Amino acid sequence: MADIPLFPVTVVGSWPRPPELIQALRRRQADEISEDEFNVVADRAVLEALKYQEEAGTDIISDGEQRRDNFYSYVVGKIAGMQLMKVSELLDYANDRARLEEVLRALDVPAFAIKSPIVTEKISAKEGLSLDELAFLKNHTDRAIKIPLPGPYMLTRSSWFEGLSDKIYPTPEDLARDVVTILREETLALKAQGVDFIQYDEPILTQVVLGEETSETFMCASLPQRRDPTTELEFALRLMNEVTDGITGVKLGVHVCRGNWSRREDVLLTGNYGPLLPYLVQMNLDQLVLECATPRAGEMEVFKEYANEKEIGLGVVNPRTDELETPALIVERVKEMLEYFEPDKIYLNPDCGFGTFAERNINTVDGAFQKMRVIAEAAAELRKQYG
């Protein structure tokens, strides 16, 4: 990427969606408005998100995922063979409905608002998953552009549901072959169109190693049938490397967090990256985009063994709080990571997006803007010290 300064400032992906866009998303899903009518509203929202990011001093921008219902369910409109289903609808197919309802309440999950893409027929790409997003951004900014995509493990595990998907794909591994093909073709197409950064979102990897063995996660219907964590992580590693094998000339990263659907920190996962790092560093990727600002991320010493093996997209602000971090605090967090990584390997970003699910913005537009601005202020100070 040309003209990117030291300690680049970027986003993880999503930006808070305005009420009129949320209404338009609902109406499009209900076939009450056309795609063109929806895009009139979405275009305005993207331009607004873009304006805020640029004014805050963001070096690598996204479209705020404004056209997406959430970071992975949006593929229903792009991939044939999938059906968008609310978590509440999936309860009808659950082996133990009462138990799953109890889990959802405990996790503060709005079951009627959050939707998942469920495979009901053989899947195939109808069009690019995000080529339209990239094309629009390229026409409206000269900043470097990041496009987030659901990672291959996330997409496979979230969309394979026993009782629905197994009629077409007997196992998640069967589905994964087609998922890998679609994501690899998308990666190559985005590269050809000049994207700067592709980020694969794999947040449920933490559920594999940090979640209770018997617990469900609403984003991943098939995890109750999962195998042991090592097998799952090896599966995720293999899928990622099949997607990215031999691809160069574009920055590739993976994002991992511990959940971003609620402001209640007590319902989100806790634990350091130690169990994940041996697998993450083997991925054919440039950067690990990690949640590190929340205390739930654990100690940073776990990176000592893997110093400089990858770039780090360092989470330095918590998108789920109203508390505004100071530039000095961010500089302190970066200096802690500088014990393990050279300055040119550290990018600065929030822990997660600011609006993961359309119906539940994690922060306000002003809150998101202020947090991005203090990251940029901290980056400016770091450049003075290390530039």
Side-chain angles (χ1 to χ4, degrees), residues 7-73:
F7 300 107
V9 176
T10 186
V11 288
V12 171
S14 63
W15 193 261
R17 297 166 183 83
E20 59 271 20
L21 177 61
I22 296 173
Q23 182 182 34
L25 277 163
R26 290 194 200 115
R27 295 187 66 197
R28 181 185 62 171
Q29 290 169 0
D31 292 325
E32 295 176 358
I33 60 174
S34 67
E35 190 71 19
D36 287 343
E37 290 172 315
F38 168 74
N39 278 327
V40 170
V41 181
D43 287 354
R44 287 199 300 266
V46 172
L47 292 175
E48 190 74 2
L50 179 59
K51 177 176 72 77
Y52 277 110
Q53 289 176 71
E54 290 183 340
E55 289 182 359
T58 310
D59 301 302
I60 307 170
I61 57 88
S62 79
D63 75 342
E65 300 180 9
Q66 300 292 288
R67 303 181 198 277
R68 307 182 183 188
D69 177 77
N70 67 50
F71 71 101
Y72 66 104
S73 72

Side-chain angles (χ1 to χ4, degrees), residues 217-279:
T217 170
F218 67 92
M219 291 194 299
C220 193
S222 66
L223 274 186
Q225 294 83 41
R226 70 184 179 180
R227 300 156 299 191
D228 69 273
T230 297
T231 302
E232 289 295 300
L233 291 172
E234 289 174 348
F235 183 41
L237 170 61
R238 176 170 63 82
L239 296 187
M240 184 66 78
N241 285 346
E242 287 176 357
V243 169
T244 61
D245 182 45
I247 297 178
T248 60
V250 58
K251 189 174 293 295
L252 303 175
V254 61
H255 170 59
V256 179
C257 66
R258 291 157 186 74
N260 198 43
W261 67 85
S262 173
R263 280 190 155 216
R264 285 179 50 195
E265 293 281 317
D266 63 304
V267 304
L268 305 175
L269 292 167
T270 298
N272 68 44
Y273 287 103
L276 284 172
L277 283 172
Y279 301 91

Side-chain angles (χ1 to χ4, degrees), residues 360-382:
R360 181 176 276 202
N361 284 333
I362 282 298
N363 216 312
T364 65
V365 169
D366 184 63
F369 171 74
Q370 296 296 340
K371 283 178 180 277
M372 291 307 302
R373 187 166 66 177
V374 297
I375 296 176
E377 291 173 1
E381 177 59 30
L382 287 162

Side-chain angles (χ1 to χ4, degrees), residues 82-363:
M82 288 184 168
Q83 180 180 340
L84 192 63
M85 300 183 71
K86 296 177 182 177
V87 172
S88 56
E89 294 173 317
L90 291 172
L91 288 171
D92 293 334
Y93 299 90
N95 292 329
D96 188 343
R97 179 188 177 108
R99 183 174 179 280
L100 184 53
E101 286 178 328
E102 181 181 348
V103 169
L104 294 172
R105 282 193 297 272
L107 292 176
D108 190 32
V109 175
F112 288 91
I114 293 175
K115 307 174 185 73
S116 287
I118 302 299
V119 169
T120 55
E121 299 176 20
K122 184 173 174 59
I123 64 170
S124 60
K126 293 189 289 190
E127 55 184 278
L129 303 187
S130 50
L131 300 180
D132 55 340
E133 298 172 352
L134 176 60
F136 186 82
L137 281 176
K138 286 176 70 67
N139 284 331
H140 292 93
T141 185
D142 57 3
R143 303 280 173 105
I145 295 171
K146 172 187 282 190
I147 295 290
L149 295 173
Y153 181 81
M154 172 77 203
L155 191 53
T156 298
R157 280 306 201 183
S158 68
S159 61
W160 190 94
F161 196 92
E162 188 173 15
L164 290 171
S165 310
D166 53 340
K167 297 177 176 64
I168 310 300
Y169 296 99
T171 68
E173 287 82 355
D174 296 315
L175 171 60
R177 285 190 285 271
D178 286 346
V179 167
V180 164
T181 296
I182 289 170
L183 287 176
R184 183 170 176 82
E185 290 175 351
E186 177 74 5
T187 298
L188 290 169
L190 287 169
K191 174 189 171 182
Q193 290 200 12
V195 74
D196 299 284
F197 194 154
I198 300 172
Q199 172 187 289
Y200 303 100
D201 292 326
E202 292 285 12
I204 61 172
L205 290 181
T206 51
Q207 178 72 24
V208 171
V209 296
L210 301 176
E212 295 181 9
E213 192 164 329
T214 58
S215 72
E216 292 90 346
T217 170
F218 67 92
M219 291 194 299
C220 193
S222 66
L223 274 186
Q225 294 83 41
R226 70 184 179 180
R227 300 156 299 191
D228 69 273
T230 297
T231 302
E232 289 295 300
L233 291 172
E234 289 174 348
F235 183 41
L237 170 61
R238 176 170 63 82
L239 296 187
M240 184 66 78
N241 285 346
E242 287 176 357
V243 169
T244 61
D245 182 45
I247 297 178
T248 60
V250 58
K251 189 174 293 295
L252 303 175
V254 61
H255 170 59
V256 179
C257 66
R258 291 157 186 74
N260 198 43
W261 67 85
S262 173
R263 280 190 155 216
R264 285 179 50 195
E265 293 281 317
D266 63 304
V267 304
L268 305 175
L269 292 167
T270 298
N272 68 44
Y273 287 103
L276 284 172
L277 283 172
Y279 301 91
L280 295 179
V281 297
Q282 291 183 69
M283 291 182 176
N284 296 327
L285 301 165
D286 303 294
Q287 187 172 128
L288 309 181
V289 183
L290 302 178
E291 176 184 52
C292 295
T294 173
R296 291 182 297 101
E299 62 277 12
M300 297 296 106
E301 288 125 327
V302 295
F303 292 96
K304 183 177 182 179
E305 185 179 347
Y306 305 98
N308 289 314
E309 289 201 25
K310 300 285 186 185
E311 294 174 350
I312 293 294
L314 183 64
V316 292
V317 300
N318 188 338
R320 291 172 299 278
T321 67
D322 293 326
E323 178 185 357
L324 185 61
E325 294 84 352
T326 64
L329 175 63
I330 294 171
V331 169
E332 181 181 331
R333 286 175 173 165
V334 172
K335 286 184 175 180
E336 182 180 3
M337 195 57 78
L338 281 166
E339 295 181 26
Y340 314 113
F341 295 90
E342 295 296 327
D344 62 355
K345 287 188 175 292
I346 298 179
Y347 287 50
L348 309 183
N349 45 256
D351 272 1
C352 299
F354 292 102
T356 304
F357 300 96
E359 303 282 358
R360 181 176 276 202
N361 284 333
I362 282 298
N363 216 312

